[in-house]
Amino acid sequence: MNILAWVILGFLAGAIAKMIYPGTQGGGFLSDIILGIIGAVIGGSVMSLLQTGTLQLTAASLSIPGIIVAVIGAMIAIFIWESFMRRSV
C-alpha cells in the first residue's frame, strides 16, 4: 500500500507543479510520478530543515499538507533541472 501512496502522491505533485511552473515541461504520466516523488523528498527535507534546524532525508506523506510540500519540492526540482539544461546548451 505504501508504494501505491508514493505513486499517487508523485502523480498529483508532479502534475500540479507542471501546471503551476511557467514554461513548458515535456514528459507524460511517468515523468509526473518521478518528478513528484523527487519533489516529495526535496520538500520533506527542506521542511525538516526549517522545522528542526537539521538536514534530514525525509519525504512528505500522502495528505493535503504533504501534497503542498511535494509540489513546492517538485517546483524546486524543475527549477534546478532547467538551470542545468540552460548551462549545457
Side-chain angles (χ1 to χ4, degrees), residues 17-30:
K18 281 185 175 180
M19 284 189 285
I20 293 173
Y21 199 84
T24 57
Q25 294 80 32
F29 182 75
L30 187 60

Side-chain angles (χ1 to χ4, degrees), residues 6 9 37 39-45 48 56-62 66 69-70:
W6 273 98
L9 174 67
I37 291 172
V41 172
I42 291 172
S45 298
S48 173
Q56 299 172 347
L57 189 59
T58 58
S61 63
L62 185 58
V69 167

Side-chain angles (χ1 to χ4, degrees), residues 23-60:
T24 57
Q25 294 80 32
F29 182 75
L30 187 60
S31 69
D32 285 349
I33 292 172
I34 293 170
L35 175 65
I37 291 172
I38 291 170
V41 172
I42 291 172
S45 298
V46 168
M47 285 305 295
S48 173
L49 177 67
L50 293 174
Q51 289 175 348
T52 63
T54 59
L55 185 60
Q56 299 172 347
L57 189 59
T58 58

